[in-house]
Amino acid sequence: MTVLFVYCHPEPRSFNAALVQVGAEMFRGRGDTVEISDLYGEGFDPVEKRENYAQPVDAEVFAPLAEQRNAFKTETLSPDISREIARLERADLVVFQFPIWWHSVPAMLKGWFDRVFVSGGLYTSKMRYDRGYFRGKRALCSVTSGAPEPSFVSGGRGGSLDAILWSTQFSLHYMGFSVLRPHASFGIQGHGYSYASADEFSRQLEQSKTAFAERLAGLDGEEPLRFPGWEDWDDIGRPLSDTPDTKRATTC
């Protein structure tokens, strides 16, 4: 199996970096191939802009989707995007490792989604969701936060983790990935925020590393999260049946 870590943290000595190392060692130890996409370390540019395209479709009006489609078709995507797509194509499992910042993903990772998931190449109007380009591949979000786990509930100080990760995980489903339940390492304290003594925190970090390695080792037995697919929607994308979480709009 080939595993890709998409790692997003600016500090190479961070706990996020330590988790990537732990995961990579576990997979390599059992004979898997591991690649690491270190967004900060490799200087990935997360900003979608005109300058990313050597042969623009329109020299006056910048339309990102049109430029992406053209660059994919003409094989003129920038080298960093071609590199990331090749890594994704080789991977059977993609692990996204990042901290929760402002109740969301870091801007660097959001920009990676904006630029790497190329319109017209990796998705089209029909090649999406359960018909997506990356179907057959699995994806997992591994996140860290300084706040304690009990605060990450609906109405809690941390907020619902499901809500925080919804757009990221649904976007991965949009691209065809089978999305696994996220892994979270809570209470990674520091810089003025603490919830445990130094000794307790040190033990907690080691326990979190062990828990992460054990989770990754057991992924083959996990079922992916359930997301709606094409059979669940009508011709304009409304759900065909009402559920507690999704109700059809009522016409006034």
Side-chain angles (χ1 to χ4, degrees), residues 47-68:
V47 181
E48 181 64 299
K49 54 185 180 292
R50 181 188 304 276
E51 290 76 13
N52 294 335
Y53 301 94
Q55 300 177 17
V57 175
D58 189 327
E60 296 184 1
V61 178
F62 177 58
L65 298 187
E67 298 299 345
Q68 289 181 2

Side-chain angles (χ1 to χ4, degrees), residues 104-105 110 113 162-173:
S104 186
V105 303
K110 177 56 170 65
F113 274 65
D162 288 341
I164 290 170
L165 294 178
W166 184 87
S167 63
T168 301
Q169 295 188 142
F170 198 69
S171 294
L172 293 170
H173 166 58

Side-chain angles (χ1 to χ4, degrees), residues 29-103:
R30 70 181 197 183
D32 295 320
T33 299
V34 175
E35 293 191 79
I36 299 173
S37 180
D38 180 352
L39 303 190
Y40 280 94
E42 295 177 339
F44 181 79
D45 183 355
V47 181
E48 181 64 299
K49 54 185 180 292
R50 181 188 304 276
E51 290 76 13
N52 294 335
Y53 301 94
Q55 300 177 17
V57 175
D58 189 327
E60 296 184 1
V61 178
F62 177 58
L65 298 187
E67 298 299 345
Q68 289 181 2
R69 285 193 294 272
N70 180 66
F72 187 90
K73 181 179 179 180
T74 59
E75 299 183 348
T76 58
L77 288 169
S78 59
D80 57 344
I81 300 306
S82 295
R83 178 195 67 205
E84 295 302 298
I85 292 174
R87 286 170 169 172
L88 289 169
E89 290 176 333
R90 288 191 293 268
D92 302 294
L93 168 68
V94 183
V95 179
F96 294 86
Q97 181 64 58
F98 59 93
I100 295 173
W101 286 352
W102 289 108
H103 308 94

Side-chain angles (χ1 to χ4, degrees), residues 181-250:
R181 174 176 55 85
H183 186 87
S185 300
F186 297 110
I188 311 303
Q189 64 189 35
H191 311 290
Y193 300 90
S194 62
Y195 302 91
S197 68
D199 288 344
E200 290 173 341
F201 181 51
S202 180
R203 286 193 295 272
Q204 177 189 329
L205 291 183
E206 294 308 310
Q207 291 170 353
S208 294
K209 291 178 186 177
T210 299
F212 186 52
E214 291 176 348
R215 171 78 195 285
L216 294 179
L219 292 182
D220 289 345
E222 292 191 9
E223 290 292 323
L225 298 173
R226 169 74 174 97
F227 289 100
W230 288 101
E231 300 302 317
D232 299 308
W233 302 312
D234 65 14
D235 58 353
I236 61 170
R238 294 176 302 186
L240 292 173
S241 61
D242 293 338
T243 70
D245 299 319
T246 175
K247 299 291 186 181
R248 292 190 185 196
T250 301

Side-chain angles (χ1 to χ4, degrees), residues 7-22 38 40 97-99 101 144 188-189 191 201 205 209:
Y7 159 59
C8 185
H9 196 287
E11 174 51 59
R13 294 167 295 181
S14 66
F15 187 67
N16 278 265
L19 289 181
V20 171
Q21 181 178 0
V22 165
D38 180 352
Y40 280 94
Q97 181 64 58
F98 59 93
W101 286 352
T144 65
I188 311 303
Q189 64 189 35
H191 311 290
F201 181 51
L205 291 183
K209 291 178 186 177

